[in-house]
Amino acid sequence: MERPLDFLNNLAQNDWLIGYNSHQFNQIFEELYLELTQISACGTPPKIILAEREPLRFLASFIAACAANCPVFLCNPDWGTQEWQQAFDLVQPNIILGIGNRQWEIRNNDNYQCSIPNAPCPLIMIPTGGSSGQIKFAIHTWETLTASVQGFTEYFQLKQVNSFCVLPLHHVSGLMQFIRSFTTGGKLAILPFKAVESGQIFNIKQSKFFISLVPTQLQRLLQNPELTEWLSQFNTVLLGGAPAWNELLEKARFHRIRLAPTYGMTETASQIATLKPDNFLNGKISSGQILPHAKVTIRNQQGEILNSNQIGNITIHAQSLALGYYPKNREYQTYFQVDDLGFLDEQGHLNIVGRNSDKIITGGENIYPSEIESAILSTQMVTDICVIGIPDKHWGQALTAIYIPKKSDISALKIQTLLKDKLSKFKIPKYWIPLQNLPRNSQGKINRQQLQQIATEFLQNSVK
């Protein structure tokens, strides 16, 4: 199998970075690679925290760490004090790149012991945050990341992948765009999303490029006619990170955006299912077919595999699967059962219906918020919506809709009237709370804990 150095040598004569200097990339790589190999020669390879803010330096440092077989932890330079404290306590790094005034800092490297003795080197730790808000690092290797690339290229029948990256490189969604281009000899354009939004775009042939977006980014680009036209020229617009709402998908389809909704996560090194753009434009709504490097089964609570169109727990088998969460690995575990619920249809397309953890039980009935949210969005009266359960002494939980009305004169009663023909009575929310904005992170994922607090305070004040 080709290693990072092999791929870099293949790219040596190519001007593969758009917006940055490929020669400068090689210079930064060589300088750091030499330092790291010298340090490693004196003992165990040092643990590296990588939080470079500048993309060229981040990517060159990442490849240098991988080539030197050093375990590398990707970190967000914009983390707050509490998050950094979590990271330092967990990692106890020997080398820190990108934080503080110095370009990098060497610490005592006597404390490193590989948590997975038989794992292939290097170990690549990618940050992920669960609903708890605690920082975790999914343990990947060069093999798991390149397995994801192999599945991607086979699925789209490509030899080279050209990527236009507007997502953070420390996040799996940004990192994998780099890995695809780097390992296939493709071109990589990197530009902050804010620059794209302001119209500062590179002069490239979009029909040769993939671009990855989260739903909130797609929504913002579609508000600008010029950027909508620019986006419609891309070969494929991968969409992931959070569920997209129907109105957004319809708008993209109307403008002939070659959208490819995806399903994946940090633990699977990005997508394991993707809907191809032609299927999307023809009206198909799903997360698409399973990529060649992965397999998905739908199981009931007893672990039995279900048939087509039966909803159950999603279990993923994939060559791109993380080995566990640092510092512990999943010994001999070749599958990953996620919290998501879904089904496979007759065409083998994966359909997501909600999350086990989001399930609301009211009056003994199991309700999944995504169904209610889709119905409310289809009324065309709200621009954003989240349905949660609030503790209720009579019903166990009371359905509560927190929404952004399209117009100030739209009342909850108007929306409820339209829902009567769409939903059973017990599925229509009892409480309705209008807001100007819903709390979402940079990936577009809703902060449900914050909404619980908002709803609780709102209802307490209403009673008073």
Side-chain angles (χ1 to χ4, degrees):
M1 171 176 254
E2 286 187 279
R3 309 300 299 170
L5 265 178
D6 300 321
F7 291 114
L8 187 61
N9 290 333
N10 293 339
L11 289 168
Q13 304 305 316
N14 295 348
D15 190 18
W16 58 281
L17 276 171
I18 298 173
Y20 291 89
N21 188 315
S22 302
H23 179 65
Q24 189 182 358
F25 177 97
N26 293 338
Q27 285 182 319
I28 296 170
F29 164 82
E30 288 170 8
E31 178 186 338
L32 184 56
Y33 176 65
L34 181 63
E35 295 276 6
L36 293 177
T37 50
Q38 288 175 347
I39 295 169
S40 298
C42 300
T44 310
K47 287 186 291 184
I48 298 171
I49 269 187
L50 177 55
E52 293 282 4
R53 191 178 296 277
E54 202 274 322
L56 187 73
R57 185 166 285 279
F58 178 96
L59 294 175
S61 300
F62 172 74
I63 292 299
C66 291
N69 286 331
C70 297
V72 58
F73 296 76
L74 308 187
C75 295
N76 182 352
D78 293 320
W79 277 342
T81 306
Q82 186 175 338
E83 292 159 315
W84 272 119
Q85 192 60 56
Q86 285 180 38
F88 284 130
D89 290 346
L90 183 61
V91 176
Q92 297 180 28
N94 310 116
I95 295 178
I96 301 166
L97 299 173
I99 306 173
N101 296 325
R102 284 173 286 181
Q103 288 184 347
W104 56 298
E105 169 189 341
I106 301 178
R107 294 182 169 193
N108 183 333
N109 71 328
D110 296 333
N111 66 339
Y112 172 56
Q113 290 184 336
C114 183
S115 60
I116 310 178
N118 298 320
C121 289
L123 295 181
I124 299 162
M125 271 59 74
I126 306 177
T128 178
S131 57
S132 65
Q134 292 291 311
I135 291 170
K136 297 189 293 185
F137 289 96
I139 305 169
H140 277 285
T141 65
W142 193 252
E143 284 72 19
T144 61
L145 300 188
T146 52
S148 174
V149 174
Q150 188 174 352
F152 184 94
T153 53
E154 188 177 336
Y155 187 69
F156 283 103
Q157 298 182 325
L158 299 166
K159 288 187 177 179
Q160 286 187 330
V161 183
N162 300 318
S163 301
F164 192 108
C165 182
V166 300
L167 294 169
L169 294 169
H170 64 266
H171 192 276
V172 72
S173 57
L175 179 72
M176 288 310 301
Q177 290 178 77
F178 161 68
I179 297 288
R180 288 178 204 130
S181 296
F182 183 76
T183 58
T184 64
K187 291 188 179 296
L188 176 69
I190 307 172
L191 203 60
F193 181 73
K194 285 183 178 178
V196 172
E197 203 174 11
S198 65
Q200 302 173 40
I201 50 181
F202 294 132
N203 184 21
I204 61 165
K205 196 170 184 180
Q206 295 101 295
S207 60
K208 301 287 186 183
F209 280 76
F210 284 73
I211 186 171
S212 295
L213 300 172
V214 298
T216 51
Q217 290 175 329
L218 176 61
Q219 181 185 41
R220 284 156 70 173
L221 292 183
L222 292 181
Q223 290 169 352
N224 182 320
E226 290 181 6
L227 292 176
T228 299
E229 172 61 24
W230 174 78
L231 196 61
S232 71
Q233 303 303 311
F234 274 89
N235 175 301
T236 303
V237 180
L238 299 165
L239 186 70
W245 46 101
N246 288 342
E247 183 186 23
L248 181 64
L249 296 176
E250 286 299 326
K251 191 171 183 180
R253 194 176 284 117
F254 174 81
H255 289 291
R256 307 301 294 172
I257 307 295
R258 293 184 55 77
L259 211 61
T262 71
Y263 176 77
M265 56 208 72
T266 305
E267 291 83 353
T268 61
S270 73
Q271 71 258 45
I272 50 94
T274 300
L275 183 66
K276 288 184 176 175
D278 289 341
N279 288 332
F280 169 78
L281 291 174
N282 289 330
K284 180 73 175 176
I285 296 178
S286 77
S287 294
Q289 293 178 306
I290 310 304
L291 271 60
H293 70 289
K295 180 185 176 184
V296 166
T297 54
I298 307 297
R299 299 171 183 264
N300 61 19
Q301 290 184 337
Q302 289 72 44
E304 300 165 331
I305 296 178
L306 300 176
N307 296 323
S308 297
N309 297 314
Q310 289 186 298
I311 295 173
N313 298 301
I314 295 172
T315 301
I316 300 169
H317 305 253
Q319 296 165 13
S320 62
L321 239 126
L323 307 185
Y325 298 107
Y326 187 83
K328 296 182 180 179
N329 66 317
R330 286 195 298 269
E331 289 188 58
Y332 312 115
Q333 193 169 324
T334 58
Y335 66 91
F336 181 49
Q337 184 166 312
V338 297
D339 190 43
D340 296 315
L341 297 164
F343 65 91
L344 291 166
D345 61 24
E346 292 86 350
Q347 291 81 41
H349 285 244
L350 180 63
N351 296 263
I352 310 298
V353 300
R355 295 175 67 85
N356 251 329
S357 57
D358 294 339
K359 181 173 68 177
I360 299 168
I361 304 175
T362 180
E365 298 281 359
N366 291 344
I367 295 174
Y368 296 98
S370 58
E371 178 191 5
I372 318 298
E373 291 162 358
S374 293
I376 294 171
L377 284 166
S378 70
T379 66
Q380 307 282 312
M381 288 196 168
V382 305
T383 57
D384 205 355
I385 175 71
C386 183
V387 172
I388 61 174
I390 294 296
D392 185 280
K393 61 182 179 181
H394 295 298
W395 301 101
Q397 288 178 292
L399 278 184
T400 304
I402 303 175
Y403 66 103
I404 303 173
K406 266 192 176 177
K407 296 178 182 177
S408 57
D409 62 343
I410 290 177
S411 67
L413 186 59
K414 282 184 180 179
I415 305 173
Q416 287 172 300
T417 302
L418 293 176
L419 290 177
K420 286 180 180 177
D421 294 331
K422 298 175 182 287
L423 295 172
S424 302
K425 188 177 180 180
F426 68 87
K427 292 183 179 179
I428 296 177
K430 180 179 180 181
Y431 300 116
W432 294 77
I433 303 173
L435 293 180
Q436 290 185 333
N437 294 102
L438 297 192
R440 292 182 180 274
N441 67 12
S442 60
Q443 299 298 308
K445 291 181 181 177
I446 204 83
N447 186 329
R448 290 182 176 271
Q449 289 180 331
Q450 192 174 338
L451 283 185
Q452 288 281 350
Q453 294 175 348
I454 290 170
T456 301
E457 291 172 8
F458 181 89
L459 296 174
Q460 284 174 348
N461 291 334
S462 297
V463 171
K464 291 176 184 177

